[in-house]
Amino acid sequence: MPQIHSKQFWLCSRIIIIIIFLTVSFLSNAQTTISGKVVEKGSKEPLPFANVRIKGTSTGVATNIDGFFSLINIDPNVTLEISFVGYDLVEVKLTGQDFLEIELKPLTNELAEVVVAATSYKVFDATTGTSATTLSTKQINLLPSIGEPDIFRALQMLPGVSSTSESSSGLFIRGGTPDQNLTLLDGMTVYKVDHFFGFFSAFNTNAVKDVRLFRGAFPARYGGRTSGVVELTGKTGSFDKIQGGFNASLVSVGGYFEMPITNKLSIFVAGRRSYSEIIKGGLYKDLIGNLSNEDNFDGTLLENATNITTEPDFYFYDWNSKISYKPSSRDMITFSTYNGKDYLNESQNLNDDIAEGINLNYALKEQTDWGNRGASTKWSRQWTSRIYTNLLFAGSEYFSNYDRDEDVLVLDLDSVRLSRNRRTFEENSVIDLSVKANLEWQINNNTKAEFGIAFTDNQIEYDNIRDDTVVLLSRSQRASYSSVFASQEGALGSKMKYTLGIRASKYENEDDLLIEPRVNLSYALNSRIKLKSAYGIHYQFVNQIVNQNISEGSREFWLLADNDPIELSSATHYVLGASYELDNWLFDVESYYKSLDGITEFSLQFRRGVDDSVSELFRSGDGVAKGVEFLIQKKKGLYTGWISYTLSDLTNTFPDLNEGFAFRPLHYQRHEFKMVNSLELEDGWTVASNFIYGSGKPFSEPNNRYEIELLDGRTLQYIGLGPRNNSFNPAYIRLDVSANKQFKIGKTSAQLGLSLFNLLGRENIWYTEYDFGQSPPLVNQVTYLGFTPNLLFSIKF
């Protein structure tokens, strides 16, 4: 259990003293100030975290989340360079103004405008900090995709993030799992980031204007997770003119609309829905093929059945909305909503003669739905050119429901040969309510202090019931935690930059105050070579529990840490790296070491008798993740792209699993190599490709079968495993290519794209299933998608 030790206390105390000392010492340098706002040209959409730099110097600042910036004590005749990934770079000559509104234009590849791209960052900027990346939502539509442009699939192509899990849009970052990442959309916590069985993410590219990824040792303003952070900022909506768009692919359709009501009030709405259950295309049939691999009951009963036809019904939808109001030039009030849902119906009905005189009546009702919904309200104000605050109220809910009801009736002439009913009901919900208040203080051009407080209340319900009466697990939990943080980023001389932070949290189910120091340092050897390092302690209060079952498949559900039996999760991050940057190229390397405590797994296989308590179904352990990441990026120009390679090691140790020996978790991958290429041609054409190689992932092979007697006298069969995750699937290899044409329809911009997913048609292994109705068991390797073409059309007005 994490506690406050004397060394940790003194370290945190020193960080606080240093922050206060540096803040006070820098105040005397502050004199004149020029402030401004960076917005998108044509819509006045504020651009968060844009770079504002004095040309020819290293002096500069980043805009805050509402696009504001301040430059202090500068020459009134300098030229500013303003850049934002995915937008054209702009230079502004100061002529005595004290407030600027700077407009940036999104990059385009329409006819003669192709040369614009040669001066700006294209897809992502990896120079914003140690283990930090900013992604452009404007440019990812040019990359190959399964169905449509996807934010999380683009993030998976970055170093340190696994891209070989087609069945999950979640991010496996440096040995962590998706549930260990904090995902925020306009301040709302999103617990499930998947659509369409994980093949698409839950976020509509049309509704998001900025994406920031932290792969480790993230800043003190973030808490509650142990692996990484994905912060998505939704579009505010145009204050200048009516805008909108429509897009369609072979899987889904979507659109967005933004309109200024007045010059102070705007609205934005976006939505999309799959239509695979209406037009059953290639991707639908591939997914149906995977689902039909699952056996519903004893295979021997179906051997002679001839009229079984199963076409599951499934779809997803999501919508976003945002109302933005500017009471004054210094204030912004926003109200955001999100709602997304997936639905799957695998029900079957069968009445057939399976042998002479023997009739089978089979009815299966099997339905699953899951999703997220949430809302947030934020008031932000630029009180002075130096002081900025925001107050956020946010609430979100994750839900997952699974209901399977199976009836089997076998008639032999006039007698009943077999009559059986089995039902499984599982539901999980997470409610997250939070209040946060932050203050940013721009002390000078190189120094900014940030302070914040937060309160979060979580309520979780989970039920797993068999045959209406057998309660396998039922939990109802509620807990809250409060946090405060302080951080300061600045410079010591012209070469050293630092970010020092401290976060303190009081969790209701813990007696101790949880202290989380954060340190980020960089040192410039010269104008091109930089050394960097980072350190952080992180805690997680709500955890997704893995239920690994060899016969039923793995399921996950959320529970709160309560130490009975779910322990509080924690991780300590160490990062060390270097970068070499040229005008158009970036060479970057980062090594990491991460210790993990409080990892929890759940399985009914842990039960050895009917009198075992619920706590016997859980196992807790720890782990170690370490590795090194390499990145070569062509940042700008008509040709852009990157090559990344990750070498990693990951082990978990549970005293009660695998005889206490360390083992590899299911998402372990020793090697991963990725190459992304994008080339802009004449007349609005862009061609792109992705290549991915990943070494095989581990899995457990069964070696025995046993039965457990229930209280009502019935028995349940379970499968015993050999050495845990001691077998490995073959390597994962995939090549995707795409071609896109941007053109005009009158004054309307349009794009037509062709994407070829898994061009080589390689059968990459998804998972291995076993049929124990035969001896020896029948082994079947279920594969991911094969060659899958996709068309995409979009228009913007």
Side-chain angles (χ1 to χ4, degrees):
M1 182 185 302
Q3 296 180 353
I4 304 178
H5 300 291
S6 58
K7 290 184 178 179
Q8 189 178 6
F9 175 80
W10 282 112
L11 173 62
C12 297
S13 301
R14 289 171 182 173
I15 291 176
I16 293 174
I17 293 171
I18 291 172
I19 291 174
I20 295 173
F21 172 76
L22 292 174
T23 299
V24 174
S25 64
F26 283 126
L27 287 178
S28 59
N29 295 327
Q31 296 179 15
T32 14
T33 297
I34 293 176
S35 58
K37 191 173 186 179
V38 180
V39 299
E40 181 182 81
K41 186 175 182 179
S43 69
K44 304 293 185 181
E45 178 89 35
L47 297 180
F49 316 115
N51 295 311
V52 182
R53 184 170 64 92
I54 298 176
K55 185 176 181 180
T57 73
S58 60
T59 300
V61 297
T63 61
N64 61 28
I65 198 168
D66 291 314
F68 285 104
F69 70 92
S70 296
L71 286 167
I72 300 169
N73 194 26
I74 65 171
D75 186 333
N77 299 312
V78 299
T79 298
L80 302 181
E81 287 184 342
I82 302 92
S83 63
F84 186 62
V85 61
Y87 285 73
D88 186 22
L89 183 145
V90 168
E91 293 185 0
V92 175
K93 174 69 174 176
L94 296 184
T95 56
Q97 312 98 309
D98 57 4
F99 187 87
L100 302 170
E101 183 173 273
I102 302 169
E103 297 183 341
L104 299 186
K105 181 181 179 182
L107 294 178
T108 181
N109 186 21
E110 296 176 2
L111 304 177
E113 296 185 61
V114 67
V115 296
V116 172
T119 63
S120 304
Y121 287 81
K122 293 296 291 300
V123 180
F124 71 90
D125 183 0
T127 63
T128 56
T130 306
S131 302
T133 304
T134 301
L135 178 74
S136 168
T137 59
K138 297 287 186 180
Q139 300 299 314
I140 62 174
N141 62 335
L142 301 178
L143 300 178
S145 60
I146 300 178
E148 61 182 60
D150 193 294
I151 292 172
F152 273 58
R153 290 297 180 187
L155 290 174
Q156 288 179 354
M157 296 304 296
L158 300 177
V161 184
S162 177
S163 59
T164 60
S165 296
E166 292 178 25
S167 59
S168 175
S169 293
L171 305 183
F172 294 84
I173 301 175
R174 293 180 173 174
T177 51
D179 64 289
Q180 295 170 346
N181 302 322
L182 177 63
T183 303
L184 298 171
L185 173 63
D186 281 343
M188 296 174 273
T189 302
V190 181
Y191 284 83
K192 183 75 170 179
V193 299
D194 289 341
H195 270 325
F196 222 65
F197 313 102
F199 289 95
F200 308 120
S201 71
F203 302 104
N204 187 346
T205 305
N206 291 326
V208 178
K209 66 178 175 183
D210 180 74
V211 182
R212 295 206 297 169
L213 170 68
F214 297 90
R215 303 193 307 278
F218 38 88
R221 76 176 72 92
Y222 304 109
R225 294 296 187 274
T226 56
S227 186
V229 175
V230 183
E231 184 176 28
L232 302 102
T233 305
K235 287 186 176 179
T236 302
S238 175
F239 288 94
D240 195 45
K241 61 181 180 180
I242 294 177
Q243 296 185 150
F246 169 82
N247 59 273
S249 71
L250 298 182
V251 177
S252 63
V253 295
Y256 69 96
F257 179 77
E258 47 191 309
M259 180 177 68
I261 305 300
T262 68
N263 61 353
K264 293 185 176 182
L265 179 66
S266 72
I267 60 171
F268 175 90
V269 292
R272 57 178 177 166
R273 190 192 189 280
S274 65
Y275 58 87
S276 53
E277 81 281 12
I278 302 172
I279 302 176
K280 298 176 172 60
L283 180 57
Y284 172 89
K285 294 178 180 177
D286 287 341
L287 290 173
I288 293 304
N290 286 333
L291 292 172
S292 64
N293 282 317
E294 301 178 1
D295 289 331
N296 293 313
F297 62 102
D298 303 301
T300 54
L301 291 175
L302 291 178
E303 285 181 353
N304 298 318
T306 58
N307 62 352
I308 299 176
T309 56
T310 304
E311 286 195 354
D313 176 23
F314 58 89
Y315 63 83
F316 75 84
Y317 70 82
D318 58 55
W319 57 262
N320 302 71
S321 68
K322 196 167 189 177
I323 300 174
S324 302
Y325 175 57
K326 298 188 294 184
S328 70
S329 61
R330 295 182 178 274
D331 294 272
M332 175 74 80
I333 299 173
T334 61
F335 176 71
S336 302
T337 65
Y338 171 80
N339 193 328
K341 180 181 177 180
D342 285 70
Y343 173 79
L344 169 63
N345 187 343
E346 298 178 86
S347 300
Q348 301 179 35
N349 286 284
L350 170 67
N351 188 331
D352 199 6
D353 294 326
I354 58 176
E356 185 175 352
I358 299 178
N359 179 262
L360 169 65
N361 286 279
Y362 175 70
L364 172 67
K365 175 187 175 183
E366 187 170 14
Q367 297 178 339
T368 310
D369 64 90
W370 66 92
N372 305 273
R373 44 182 171 251
S376 68
T377 298
K378 188 184 74 170
W379 170 45
S380 57
R381 177 174 174 81
Q382 191 77 30
W383 295 88
T384 69
S385 58
R386 302 172 187 271
I387 303 297
Y388 166 85
T389 62
N390 64 64
L391 177 64
L392 173 76
F393 298 88
S396 64
E397 179 186 13
Y398 161 73
F399 60 91
S400 175
N401 304 293
Y402 175 71
D403 191 357
R404 176 189 172 98
D405 193 351
E406 180 186 65
D407 286 296
V408 180
L409 177 64
V410 180
L411 300 176
D412 187 350
L413 298 179
D414 294 329
S415 62
V416 177
R417 180 173 176 178
L418 173 67
S419 178
R420 185 177 69 201
N421 173 264
R422 291 179 177 175
R423 188 179 184 195
T424 300
F425 176 75
E426 186 176 7
E427 67 175 0
N428 188 205
S429 66
V430 182
I431 296 176
D432 186 297
L433 301 175
S434 60
V435 181
K436 300 177 183 179
N438 287 3
L439 181 148
E440 297 178 11
W441 183 6
Q442 187 73 47
I443 300 169
N444 61 33
N445 296 332
N446 295 319
T447 310
K448 181 173 73 173
E450 187 174 357
F451 309 90
I453 59 174
F455 174 82
T456 299
D457 182 78
N458 287 124
Q459 183 175 347
I460 293 183
E461 303 286 340
Y462 177 72
D463 291 293
N464 190 335
I465 301 173
R466 296 285 176 89
D467 300 330
D468 295 324
T469 59
V470 181
V471 179
L472 300 180
L473 181 63
S474 180
R475 308 280 283 189
S476 179
Q477 301 175 302
R478 184 168 187 171
S480 61
Y481 63 93
S482 303
S483 302
V484 297
F485 79 89
S487 69
Q488 181 177 293
E489 58 182 79
L492 297 175
S494 60
K495 296 182 178 296
M496 174 73 76
K497 292 186 178 181
Y498 65 87
T499 301
L500 301 177
I502 188 72
R503 186 180 184 91
S505 299
K506 185 64 181 73
Y507 179 52
E508 185 176 339
N509 292 337
E510 284 286 328
D511 295 330
D512 304 304
L513 184 66
L514 304 173
I515 304 296
E516 302 170 76
R518 314 284 173 84
V519 180
N520 194 312
L521 303 173
S522 66
Y523 183 81
L525 296 178
N526 54 44
S527 61
R528 300 192 182 279
I529 301 176
K530 180 175 65 176
L531 306 179
K532 51 186 177 176
S533 64
Y535 164 81
I537 295 177
H538 310 270
Y539 292 100
Q540 183 160 338
F541 312 110
V542 56
N543 299 277
Q544 191 176 60
I545 311 301
V546 177
N547 175 11
Q548 185 178 344
N549 191 302
I550 194 68
S551 60
E552 298 180 358
S554 295
R555 294 184 182 275
E556 298 83 24
F557 54 93
W558 292 90
L559 289 177
L560 283 164
D562 56 7
N563 293 314
D564 183 29
I566 302 168
E567 295 183 3
L568 180 70
S569 298
S570 63
T572 303
H573 296 204
Y574 304 87
V575 182
L576 184 64
S579 64
Y580 175 63
E581 187 172 11
L582 302 172
D583 290 340
N584 293 324
W585 291 87
L586 173 66
F587 302 85
D588 189 85
V589 59
E590 286 191 4
S591 61
Y592 64 89
Y593 180 92
K594 181 164 57 175
S595 62
L596 309 167
D597 295 305
I599 306 171
T600 302
E601 287 197 9
F602 166 89
S603 178
L604 294 174
Q605 294 175 334
F606 298 152
R607 176 176 283 171
R608 293 293 179 251
V610 295
D611 296 327
D612 289 349
S613 65
V614 170
S615 62
E616 295 297 323
L617 303 178
F618 294 87
R619 296 291 185 270
S620 294
D622 52 39
V624 172
K626 52 188 175 182
V628 59
E629 305 160 357
F630 299 90
L631 171 68
I632 302 175
Q633 182 192 11
K634 176 66 164 54
K635 303 181 298 182
K636 308 173 186 178
L638 303 182
Y639 167 74
T640 56
W642 64 92
I643 296 174
S644 72
Y645 169 70
T646 302
L647 173 66
S648 64
D649 189 30
L650 176 62
T651 55
N652 287 347
T653 304
F654 287 67
D656 299 324
L657 296 181
N658 205 43
E659 299 181 351
F661 294 106
F663 60 89
R664 311 290 188 187
L666 293 175
H667 59 283
Y668 164 74
Q669 199 160 41
R670 180 68 170 173
H671 305 278
E672 189 167 54
F673 173 85
K674 292 174 279 196
M675 178 184 294
V676 179
N677 299 277
S678 177
L679 177 63
E680 295 184 10
L681 304 173
E682 296 181 353
D683 297 329
W685 281 97
T686 301
V687 293
S689 67
N690 298 334
F691 176 78
I692 302 168
Y693 168 86
S695 54
K697 294 181 179 179
F699 67 98
S700 299
E701 291 192 272
N703 62 2
N704 64 79
R705 179 171 56 177
Y706 60 93
E707 296 181 346
I708 293 178
E709 184 177 354
L710 300 178
L711 292 173
D712 59 2
R714 295 181 298 110
T715 59
L716 293 178
Q717 292 185 346
Y718 292 97
I719 310 304
L721 304 177
R724 196 174 188 85
N725 297 342
N726 201 43
S727 300
F728 286 83
N729 286 315
Y732 181 100
I733 300 174
R734 196 182 84 220
L735 173 65
D736 312 325
V737 298
S738 67
N740 292 272
K741 167 70 173 178
Q742 296 184 5
F743 56 96
K744 293 282 191 179
I745 303 177
K747 294 183 179 181
T748 301
S749 297
Q751 177 178 317
L752 181 64
L754 170 66
S755 182
L756 304 178
F757 181 84
N758 195 1
L759 181 64
L760 302 178
R762 180 177 171 86
E763 295 184 345
N764 293 303
I765 303 301
W766 184 353
Y767 62 90
T768 302
E769 62 180 10
Y770 298 85
D771 180 4
F772 291 93
Q774 306 183 37
S775 182
L778 179 65
V779 180
N780 178 40
Q781 291 183 322
V782 180
T783 60
Y784 284 120
L785 292 178
F787 171 69
T788 305
N790 181 55
L791 288 174
L792 176 69
F793 174 74
S794 65
I795 58 173
K796 297 179 180 180
F797 60 85

